[in-house]
Amino acid sequence: MPPRLASPQTVPVDPSSAVADTNLAELLRQNRALQREVVQYRVAAELARGQSEMLIESLGFLTAESNLDKFLGHVLKVTVQQMQGVGGTLWFPDPATKSIRLHLEYLDSRIIPAVDSHHPAVLHPLPVGGRPVSTFPMDRAETYVLSDEVSGMPEENRAYINSLGVRTLLTVPMLLGKETVGWICVRSSKADPVELESKIYLAEALAGQATLAVQMARLSEQARQAAVLAERNRIARDIHDTLAQGFTGVIVNLEAANRTLRKNNMELAAQHIEHARSLAQSGLAEARVSVGALRPDVSQRVELAEALQALLRRFEASETLHGEVRLAGDRVPLPADVENELLRIAQESMTNVLKHAEAQRVELRLAFDADAVRLSIIDDGIGFDPTAHHDGFGLLGMRERAERIGAKLHVTSHPPRGTQVETVVPRSALDRA
């Protein structure tokens, strides 16, 4: 009879031990995940710090570098390096042809201007658009994989870029508000565009720096053009104040000489002719100063009160106008440019009185008040309408001269009771001069 087999025994399992093992495994999993997150955080922090330092360095380069192309080349180089690319290009729109022109190329660790580049686009500009028109998007960055046919990219361009070992291209528009002012293209040797796309935010930040530099250059050019225009206007005023007014005085004296000759008064006629000659010589000398230095010779200037006296004597030489200079208040030294502009305003106003006002008397008042210096030219002529349109540089030139020294020009006229032209220079403007 066969032996009897013992039935298998079931080992009891402790439920609390199984739960503990499960919890331990979960804790280990979470710990490994946490360690990975810590490592990723440290890597991200290091990357962010490096990128911040790079952005700060670029901005410092912008403030120190006055050459726009050098700064743009620096931004292009840094962008390519941060994106771990193998080269890149910088492009600007050409409004004349409504196309894109190459400006700089970064190749073999060198910044190459377009004139020295072998890129086919130098000879064949590209259209603006982005997919499918071209590889130059207007409002957002785009990546292009060169192993495939790229819509909007000429085959000769793709062949040139492929010959450099480029497999992927990232184009980032330089945006100023809604305007696209240029493009930065980064070339990568990696076929997968994922890594480039993950750093688009950095490329956009660097493109923003290039945009800032372009805008600063624009503003600088606008300021230069405004300065040129202001200088042209100033020269026009100087020519008007020297030659035009000088000729007026010459003509007035010659007309007076002609009248006295008809009366056989040779001595008085000779005096008028001498005055005309003196005025012509004076005008010629001032014109030479304006051409040579474009401003009066400060070293040879006289005080404003004496200059006004000399001005009045010149106009009285015509014997058609008489007047006086009145001073009020305690005299204070005035800056050279303030004295010069006030004298020019008085000269223009006196010329207008002589030519148009039909006045017999004129008074020049120079008052040194507590709050301002005031120069007034008052005549007893027929007056005019200051609000009406007037040809020439007269009133416009006087107002511009007043603005240059922080003064206000007030013209008051009540036909036929004469005219008053008053220039008020606040003491605060004198302190800044």
Side-chain angles (χ1 to χ4, degrees), residues 297-337:
D297 188 350
V298 176
S299 65
Q300 299 180 5
R301 68 186 178 93
V302 296
E303 193 177 32
L304 180 59
E306 284 73 14
L308 292 175
Q309 290 282 5
L311 178 66
L312 181 59
R313 286 196 298 270
R314 288 170 54 187
F315 279 90
E316 285 183 322
S318 66
E319 294 191 343
T320 61
L321 188 66
H322 303 279
E324 62 179 326
V325 176
R326 289 189 177 183
L327 303 178
D330 297 329
R331 294 195 205 183
V332 296
L334 299 177
D337 60 336

Side-chain angles (χ1 to χ4, degrees), residues 94-266:
D94 186 352
T97 61
K98 295 183 179 180
S99 61
I100 307 296
R101 58 178 176 82
L102 178 66
H103 189 70
L104 296 174
E105 182 174 17
Y106 181 58
L107 182 63
D108 297 331
S109 302
R110 294 186 302 120
I111 295 295
I112 304 172
V115 66
D116 298 324
S117 171
H118 297 293
H119 199 298
V122 174
L123 300 177
H124 303 95
L126 302 171
V128 182
R131 294 187 181 95
V133 179
S134 72
T135 55
F136 295 93
M138 296 297 293
D139 55 1
R140 67 183 184 279
E142 291 182 358
T143 55
Y144 305 90
V145 179
L146 302 185
S147 59
D148 305 325
E149 181 179 350
V150 180
S151 177
M153 176 182 285
E155 183 57 35
E156 59 179 352
N157 290 11
R158 190 161 73 102
Y160 169 76
I161 298 174
N162 274 329
S163 70
L164 303 176
V166 180
R167 297 294 175 262
T168 311
L169 190 67
L170 169 66
T171 305
V172 182
M174 296 159 51
L175 299 176
L176 182 63
K178 295 183 178 180
E179 180 187 4
T180 304
V181 300
W183 294 264
I184 290 180
C185 295
V186 178
R187 300 164 177 170
S188 174
S189 60
K190 299 177 181 179
D192 190 349
V194 173
E195 186 172 346
L196 276 180
E197 292 172 347
S198 68
K199 296 181 180 179
I200 281 179
Y201 71 94
L202 176 59
E204 289 175 338
L206 289 164
Q209 292 188 17
T211 305
L212 175 61
V214 171
Q215 178 65 359
M216 289 175 64
R218 283 182 176 181
L219 295 176
S220 177
E221 177 62 18
Q222 291 172 3
R224 188 192 69 82
Q225 292 178 355
V228 169
L229 180 59
E231 186 66 8
R232 287 176 179 172
N233 290 338
R234 190 186 68 77
I235 293 173
R237 290 194 302 267
D238 283 349
I239 292 174
H240 177 264
D241 291 345
T242 55
L243 299 181
Q245 294 178 1
F247 283 136
T248 298
V250 170
I251 292 171
V252 169
N253 276 277
L254 290 178
E255 289 176 347
N258 186 43
R259 290 194 299 269
T260 54
L261 283 174
R262 290 177 182 176
K263 298 177 181 179
N264 295 320
N265 190 338
M266 303 300 294

Side-chain angles (χ1 to χ4, degrees), residues 337-357:
D337 60 336
V338 173
E339 285 196 342
N340 178 64
E341 300 296 359
L342 289 177
L343 180 60
R344 294 300 192 189
I345 290 171
Q347 185 177 1
E348 172 63 24
S349 184
M350 291 285 290
T351 300
N352 289 338
V353 171
L354 189 62
K355 290 171 61 177
H356 307 297

Side-chain angles (χ1 to χ4, degrees), residues 4 13 15 23 51 95 108 113 164 170 183 192 283 310 343 361 411 432:
R4 191 172 185 181
V13 178
N23 290 341
Q51 292 170 355
D108 297 331
L164 303 176
L170 169 66
W183 294 264
D192 190 349
L343 180 60
R361 290 195 59 79
V411 181
R432 292 194 301 268

